[in-house]
Amino acid sequence: MLSFFWFTGLLISLAILCCLYRAIVGPGIFNRVAALNVIGTKTIILLVVMGYFFERPEFFDIALLYAMLNFIGTLVASKYLEKGQLWS
Amino acid sequence: MKKRISEMAITFGLLGLFWILLSGYFDGFHLVAGGICSLIVTAMSYRLLFSERRSQFFRTSWRLICYVPWELWQIVLANIDVIRRVLHPRMPIAPCLIEIETPLRSEFALVTLGNSITLTPGTITVSVDPEKGKFLVHALAKEPADALLVDQTMQRKVAGVFQEGRTEG
Amino acid sequence: MVIVDRIVILIVLAGTFVTLAGAIGLLRFPDFYTRLHATGKCDTLGTGLILTGFMVFHFVHYSSTPLVPIKVLILIIFVFIANPTATHAIVKAAYRTGVRPWHLGEKRR
């Protein structure tokens, strides 16, 4: 079962590499912000998988925190790109 | 004044419950520390949880819970549709922008409908006009766009949850 | 025990396949809005499936700590609410700034 978790982590890392291509190449800034949001969501999955692989329950708290940080980061970036400033 | 105290009490209770669920320790030190932290956070933010509409809260929440399984089934269908279009060698997409109208006006109802439109087959919410209830929607191909425009299944279901836009309650 | 292990492997493999399909969609689609279609839907369901598989695994194998899967459940609910909202926020920002949608027959962007 542990080797299956390692294999899942490897596949998720492969998906993150695909999104990294879009983050580097994507024409314009919006493609890059979207790719970073997707990388953040896949990082949450990776953290939970690693928490079960290394049998440490602290990783779930870190995953919850990183989910919130990723969400707020994407919202702030899109608000800045829409309005030109952060306060309206 | 009484409404404020009940709001603060419910917020404090929910935050304390959340603390206990996340920490997992039930001894004295952790409970007292959780109580103090919940108290500080409640004092700063007790107004954020409740909005003005309190009349039909429990019935609306019950209908919302009954709406969730249908929504989960739609999410699964949506993903099968998108994966078929991604992995197909010819990639059959024909994007277009549509505008739909709903009788919903409250914030929570508009947010639920917007999230449901984003999560269901072939459509994303682009822009919401909260005064007139208009949604600008980007559709991936013709069939999901028709399902949203012509059938109006989802609008009927969400309006059924929130019971707005009708003459009788 | 073995049959629950097989169900968990099935659920997690399905979730990983959906997530990978979302990443491939990010590379393959020709326009910004269509790419967000792929990631907004596939990412959310992929996360939900993989984390559900892990929750089932935890309930069966490590049943001495029943409070830990509740954290994972809170994570699932949060991702189901937050991911579409973030997708909508960035699509709205792109639309208001003037990114035009792609129509059939144009060049890739």
Side-chain angles (χ1 to χ4, degrees), chain B residues 79 86 88 118 123 125 138, chain C residues 28 37 41-42 71 88 104:
Chain B
N79 277 285
V86 165
H88 196 278
T118 305
T123 49
T125 317
H138 179 267
Chain C
R28 242 193 123 189
H37 266 280
K41 296 193 227 292
C42 293
K71 263 184 234 176
H88 167 252
L104 203 54

Side-chain angles (χ1 to χ4, degrees), chain B residues 28-98:
Chain B
F29 168 67
H30 287 97
L31 284 180
V32 168
I36 294 179
C37 288
S38 306
L39 209 59
I40 298 177
V41 176
T42 309
M44 285 195 288
S45 66
Y46 67 95
R47 272 180 248 194
L48 286 178
L49 194 57
F50 294 100
S51 58
E52 304 84 27
R53 283 177 56 94
R54 297 281 301 277
S55 54
Q56 292 234 333
F57 179 64
F58 287 109
R59 218 172 299 174
T60 309
S61 311
W62 171 246
R63 280 198 290 257
L64 199 60
I65 294 179
C66 292
Y67 166 74
V68 169
W70 182 82
E71 167 92 20
L72 285 178
W73 176 239
Q74 290 294 312
I75 293 177
V76 172
L77 285 181
N79 277 285
I80 294 176
D81 186 56
V82 171
I83 293 177
R84 190 180 67 92
R85 287 182 209 275
V86 165
L87 294 178
H88 196 278
R90 222 177 7 111
M91 208 161 63
I93 57 174
C96 46
L97 272 178
I98 320 173

Side-chain angles (χ1 to χ4, degrees), chain B residues 12-13 15-39, chain C residues 67:
Chain B
F12 177 71
L15 284 173
L17 185 67
F18 207 64
W19 172 282
I20 294 179
L21 268 180
L22 282 185
S23 78
Y25 291 115
F26 293 99
D27 56 337
F29 168 67
H30 287 97
L31 284 180
V32 168
I36 294 179
C37 288
S38 306
L39 209 59
Chain C
L67 279 186

Side-chain angles (χ1 to χ4, degrees), chain A residues 37-57:
Chain A
N37 181 28
V38 171
I39 290 179
T41 310
K42 292 185 167 58
T43 305
I44 303 168
I45 308 176
L46 201 58
L47 277 169
V48 173
V49 171
M50 286 301 121
Y52 275 103
F53 182 66
F54 292 112
E55 295 190 359
R56 305 183 80 173

